[in-house]
Amino acid sequence: MNSKVKFLTLASLTLAVSSLTVSTVVAQAKLTNQSKLLINGIGGVRIGMTVSQAAKAAGIKLIGDSANNSCYYVKPQNEPKNLLFMVTKGRISRVDVRQNTQITTLKGAKIGDTEAQIKSLYPGKIKVTSHKYVQGGHYLTFIPKDRANQNYRVVFETDGKRVTQFRSGKLPEVEFVEGCS
């Protein structure tokens, strides 16, 4: 085999392997019930992305309210269910997890966890305040210590005993008790 043929064979093999790697990465990035909620997004979706950037990063179609509102929600067309993205000023500003017990935070917190479990997962980083609408309920707010994430929060809503829903995102939207209302 001459060196030109060896080079072309190697180049073709490298190209085949790299395209295989790219499709594997894309498949892994698809938003699913196993995606982890982060302080600044979920899966490949990050706070600050446009809806089209988020849909591309999630590998799914996002549907929802009309984009002419100053605050609106979009959600995956199919799965994962009960996952909502708040959009303000044309960009994703918060992620809400409601009635989905499969999605967890990076540390494993999820709907159904006790208040004590949340506090133990985030020792010394949870601020507890009274729930505005649920008597005896609380907002358990994770406040990051590192300066880079100071404008982000994770808010767990409870009935006083267990987490009923949670969300992450940037200030001030992450703390809007009534969402876009």
Side-chain angles (χ1 to χ4, degrees):
M1 222 187 249
N2 69 30
S3 61
K4 211 178 227 180
V5 173
K6 280 183 185 174
F7 175 76
L8 286 173
T9 306
L10 184 60
S12 300
L13 187 60
T14 305
L15 188 60
V17 169
S18 25
S19 62
L20 183 67
T21 308
V22 169
S23 62
T24 306
V25 170
V26 170
Q28 290 171 337
K30 185 171 181 182
L31 195 59
T32 68
N33 284 316
Q34 284 66 52
S35 298
K36 302 298 179 201
L37 184 82
L38 311 169
I39 197 162
N40 65 344
I42 185 168
V45 178
R46 292 291 170 267
I47 301 303
M49 286 181 165
T50 64
V51 174
S52 61
Q53 288 170 332
K56 189 174 181 181
I60 57 174
K61 185 171 183 181
L62 294 173
I63 58 168
D65 301 333
S66 124
N68 61 8
N69 296 336
S70 60
C71 180
Y72 64 98
Y73 282 95
V74 294
K75 64 183 181 182
Q77 186 172 25
N78 298 311
E79 292 286 330
K81 298 267 187 246
N82 300 303
L83 179 69
L84 302 165
F85 296 96
M86 179 186 279
V87 182
T88 54
K89 297 180 184 158
R91 301 202 172 263
I92 305 290
S93 55
R94 140 178 165 177
V95 182
D96 291 48
V97 179
R98 301 179 184 162
Q99 301 166 321
N100 183 322
T101 55
Q102 292 180 285
I103 294 176
T104 70
T105 65
L106 206 50
K107 292 201 177 271
K110 64 187 182 309
I111 291 175
D113 282 357
T114 65
E115 289 191 0
Q117 285 172 301
I118 299 301
K119 290 173 188 171
S120 72
L121 287 171
Y122 304 95
K125 295 179 182 171
I126 294 289
K127 177 179 147 197
V128 181
T129 53
S130 294
H131 199 291
K132 187 173 176 181
Y133 296 108
V134 178
Q135 187 154 1
H138 298 110
Y139 300 108
L140 305 181
T141 305
F142 166 69
I143 301 172
K145 298 283 187 221
D146 57 320
R147 192 191 290 285
N149 290 323
Q150 280 300 293
N151 290 325
Y152 296 94
R153 302 285 185 271
V154 178
V155 179
F156 300 92
E157 291 192 31
T158 77
D159 58 9
K161 294 179 177 63
R162 294 188 177 275
V163 174
T164 56
Q165 59 185 352
F166 61 106
R167 61 185 177 266
S168 72
K170 69 180 190 73
L171 294 172
E173 292 91 336
V174 72
E175 292 186 336
F176 290 175
V177 173
E178 294 162 357
C180 286
S181 300

